[in-house]
């Protein structure tokens, strides 16, 4: 299954803020977590993540700092701020509303799978 770019774009901010609410992290670890949480369905690139992290930082939703790990190169770690936690709460409220509305619309009306050959026999 391919997740559309529109849905990826719409869900990117709450996903990243949610992951950072779990604890401080660096870019590659965030990418791995997204892949893990989606069962491999969301395979984001650095080109999607880093501009988002920079935007969230400009907005004051995340802060970053460089850290050295013994035997490895420096990594830029990101952490969610109080402002970011407030934004995450608002994003969650909005997503809950959308998901609830979709559940109402789809409840027993739209099949999860469609067999294109059904009814042709």
């Amino acid at each position: 299954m391919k997740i559309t770019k529109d849905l990826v774009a719409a869900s990117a901010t709450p996903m990243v803020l949610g992951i950072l609410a779990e604890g401080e992290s660096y870019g590659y670890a965030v990418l791995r977590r997204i892949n893990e949480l989606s069962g491999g369905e969301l395979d984001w690139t650095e080109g999607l993540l880093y501009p988002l992290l920079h935007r969230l930082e400009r907005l004051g939703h995340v802060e970053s700092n460089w850290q050295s790990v013994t035997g490895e190169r420096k990594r830029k770690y990101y952490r969610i701020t109080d402002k970011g936690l407030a934004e995450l709460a608002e994003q969650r409220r909005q997503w809950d509303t959308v998901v609830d509305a979709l559940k109402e619309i789809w409840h027993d009306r739209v099949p999860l799978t469609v067999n294109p050959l059904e009814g042709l026999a």
Side-chain angles (χ1 to χ4, degrees):
M1 166 178 58
K2 177 110 168 100
I3 307 295
T4 66
K5 288 182 181 183
D6 289 343
L7 193 52
V8 169
S11 62
T13 294
M15 288 185 72
V16 169
L17 290 176
I19 289 168
L20 294 178
E22 296 175 338
E24 183 177 74
S25 192
Y26 59 96
Y28 182 69
V30 171
L31 291 173
R32 279 196 328 247
R33 184 77 174 123
I34 289 166
N35 190 278
E36 170 190 307
L37 289 168
S38 70
E41 294 292 331
L42 294 172
D43 190 22
W44 289 12
T45 64
E46 292 176 2
L48 173 70
L49 178 63
Y50 287 106
L52 174 58
L53 286 169
H54 296 153
R55 183 176 63 80
L56 293 173
E57 194 167 19
R58 280 192 311 275
L59 293 170
H61 297 162
V62 302
E63 296 173 336
S64 66
N65 64 75
W66 288 95
Q67 296 180 22
S68 296
V69 178
T70 306
E72 297 183 22
R73 62 186 177 103
K74 284 179 126 179
R75 292 181 178 153
K76 192 173 191 179
Y77 279 77
Y78 297 87
R79 72 172 198 82
I80 195 167
T81 63
D82 288 343
K83 188 175 180 181
L85 287 170
E87 177 62 20
L88 177 58
E90 175 58 19
Q91 292 268 331
R92 182 170 180 178
R93 186 194 65 74
Q94 291 178 29
W95 274 97
D96 284 346
T97 300
V98 170
V99 168
D100 289 347
L102 286 171
K103 284 179 182 177
E104 281 295 316
I105 292 166
W106 292 340
H107 181 70
D108 294 330
R109 292 183 188 105
V110 179
L112 292 178
T113 58
V114 177
N115 181 351
L117 300 178
E118 190 173 295
L120 294 180

